[in-house]
PDB file of all heavy atoms in Angstrom:
ATOM      1  N   LEU N  52      16.908 105.522 -54.602  1.00  0.00           N
ATOM      2  CA  LEU N  52      15.598 105.778 -54.465  1.00  0.00           C
ATOM      3  C   LEU N  52      14.893 106.025 -55.874  1.00  0.00           C
ATOM      4  O   LEU N  52      15.556 106.582 -56.778  1.00  0.00           O
ATOM      5  CB  LEU N  52      15.206 107.070 -53.550  1.00  0.00           C
ATOM      6  CG  LEU N  52      15.639 106.917 -52.087  1.00  0.00           C
ATOM      7  CD1 LEU N  52      15.477 108.274 -51.377  1.00  0.00           C
ATOM      8  CD2 LEU N  52      14.913 105.851 -51.363  1.00  0.00           C
ATOM      9  N   ILE N  60       7.955 110.151 -54.413  1.00  0.00           N
ATOM     10  CA  ILE N  60       8.887 109.059 -54.311  1.00  0.00           C
ATOM     11  C   ILE N  60       8.367 107.767 -54.344  1.00  0.00           C
ATOM     12  O   ILE N  60       7.288 107.436 -53.614  1.00  0.00           O
ATOM     13  CB  ILE N  60       9.703 109.288 -52.936  1.00  0.00           C
ATOM     14  CG1 ILE N  60      10.397 110.637 -52.985  1.00  0.00           C
ATOM     15  CG2 ILE N  60      10.796 108.217 -52.813  1.00  0.00           C
ATOM     16  CD1 ILE N  60      11.261 110.936 -51.747  1.00  0.00           C
ATOM     17  N   LEU N  61       8.821 106.847 -55.042  1.00  0.00           N
ATOM     18  CA  LEU N  61       8.270 105.462 -55.121  1.00  0.00           C
ATOM     19  C   LEU N  61       8.599 104.766 -53.889  1.00  0.00           C
ATOM     20  O   LEU N  61       9.551 104.845 -53.244  1.00  0.00           O
ATOM     21  CB  LEU N  61       8.847 104.729 -56.391  1.00  0.00           C
ATOM     22  CG  LEU N  61       8.570 105.283 -57.706  1.00  0.00           C
ATOM     23  CD1 LEU N  61       9.264 104.557 -58.762  1.00  0.00           C
ATOM     24  CD2 LEU N  61       7.043 105.248 -57.927  1.00  0.00           C
ATOM     25  N   LEU N  85      10.705  99.308 -49.910  1.00  0.00           N
ATOM     26  CA  LEU N  85      11.250  99.791 -48.649  1.00  0.00           C
ATOM     27  C   LEU N  85      10.806  98.980 -47.350  1.00  0.00           C
ATOM     28  O   LEU N  85      11.531  98.844 -46.485  1.00  0.00           O
ATOM     29  CB  LEU N  85      10.810 101.235 -48.377  1.00  0.00           C
ATOM     30  CG  LEU N  85      11.660 102.298 -49.070  1.00  0.00           C
ATOM     31  CD1 LEU N  85      11.036 103.630 -48.915  1.00  0.00           C
ATOM     32  CD2 LEU N  85      13.068 102.393 -48.517  1.00  0.00           C
ATOM     33  N   HIS N  95       7.444 106.609 -43.247  1.00  0.00           N
ATOM     34  CA  HIS N  95       6.926 107.604 -44.191  1.00  0.00           C
ATOM     35  C   HIS N  95       8.020 108.292 -44.922  1.00  0.00           C
ATOM     36  O   HIS N  95       9.076 108.682 -44.385  1.00  0.00           O
ATOM     37  CB  HIS N  95       6.102 108.680 -43.382  1.00  0.00           C
ATOM     38  CG  HIS N  95       5.416 109.694 -44.187  1.00  0.00           C
ATOM     39  ND1 HIS N  95       4.459 109.497 -45.114  1.00  0.00           N
ATOM     40  CD2 HIS N  95       5.872 111.001 -44.416  1.00  0.00           C
ATOM     41  CE1 HIS N  95       4.097 110.598 -45.702  1.00  0.00           C
ATOM     42  NE2 HIS N  95       4.951 111.495 -45.310  1.00  0.00           N
ATOM     43  N   LEU N  96       7.907 108.338 -46.275  1.00  0.00           N
ATOM     44  CA  LEU N  96       8.920 108.971 -47.175  1.00  0.00           C
ATOM     45  C   LEU N  96       8.272 109.937 -48.058  1.00  0.00           C
ATOM     46  O   LEU N  96       7.209 109.666 -48.627  1.00  0.00           O
ATOM     47  CB  LEU N  96       9.558 107.797 -47.968  1.00  0.00           C
ATOM     48  CG  LEU N  96      10.660 108.055 -48.993  1.00  0.00           C
ATOM     49  CD1 LEU N  96      11.906 108.578 -48.110  1.00  0.00           C
ATOM     50  CD2 LEU N  96      10.990 106.941 -49.810  1.00  0.00           C
ATOM     51  N   HIS N  97       8.840 111.137 -48.132  1.00  0.00           N
ATOM     52  CA  HIS N  97       8.267 112.296 -48.914  1.00  0.00           C
ATOM     53  C   HIS N  97       9.487 113.183 -49.205  1.00  0.00           C
ATOM     54  O   HIS N  97      10.492 113.144 -48.717  1.00  0.00           O
ATOM     55  CB  HIS N  97       7.168 112.949 -48.343  1.00  0.00           C
ATOM     56  CG  HIS N  97       7.484 113.858 -47.161  1.00  0.00           C
ATOM     57  ND1 HIS N  97       7.854 115.124 -47.233  1.00  0.00           N
ATOM     58  CD2 HIS N  97       7.473 113.603 -45.876  1.00  0.00           C
ATOM     59  CE1 HIS N  97       8.193 115.635 -46.142  1.00  0.00           C
ATOM     60  NE2 HIS N  97       7.996 114.694 -45.211  1.00  0.00           N
ATOM     61  N   ILE N 105      13.030 112.798 -47.419  1.00  0.00           N
ATOM     62  CA  ILE N 105      12.995 112.723 -45.941  1.00  0.00           C
ATOM     63  C   ILE N 105      12.315 111.326 -45.609  1.00  0.00           C
ATOM     64  O   ILE N 105      11.114 111.095 -46.001  1.00  0.00           O
ATOM     65  CB  ILE N 105      12.287 113.838 -45.281  1.00  0.00           C
ATOM     66  CG1 ILE N 105      12.986 115.244 -45.771  1.00  0.00           C
ATOM     67  CG2 ILE N 105      12.252 113.770 -43.798  1.00  0.00           C
ATOM     68  CD1 ILE N 105      12.222 116.429 -45.238  1.00  0.00           C
ATOM     69  N   LEU N 106      13.019 110.550 -44.807  1.00  0.00           N
ATOM     70  CA  LEU N 106      12.343 109.306 -44.273  1.00  0.00           C
ATOM     71  C   LEU N 106      12.117 109.375 -42.827  1.00  0.00           C
ATOM     72  O   LEU N 106      13.054 109.800 -42.062  1.00  0.00           O
ATOM     73  CB  LEU N 106      13.367 108.168 -44.694  1.00  0.00           C
ATOM     74  CG  LEU N 106      13.023 106.793 -44.128  1.00  0.00           C
ATOM     75  CD1 LEU N 106      11.719 106.285 -44.809  1.00  0.00           C
ATOM     76  CD2 LEU N 106      14.104 105.793 -44.194  1.00  0.00           C
ATOM     77  N   ILE N 119      19.737 108.198 -46.157  1.00  0.00           N
ATOM     78  CA  ILE N 119      18.739 107.197 -46.296  1.00  0.00           C
ATOM     79  C   ILE N 119      19.363 105.869 -46.782  1.00  0.00           C
ATOM     80  O   ILE N 119      19.012 104.715 -46.228  1.00  0.00           O
ATOM     81  CB  ILE N 119      17.586 107.629 -47.226  1.00  0.00           C
ATOM     82  CG1 ILE N 119      16.771 108.765 -46.529  1.00  0.00           C
ATOM     83  CG2 ILE N 119      16.668 106.417 -47.495  1.00  0.00           C
ATOM     84  CD1 ILE N 119      15.755 109.324 -47.454  1.00  0.00           C
TER      85      ILE N 119
END
Side-chain angles (χ1 to χ4, degrees):
L52 295 176
I60 298 181
L61 297 174
L85 275 174
H95 177 70
L96 182 66
H97 69 89
I105 301 173
L106 175 67
I119 294 171

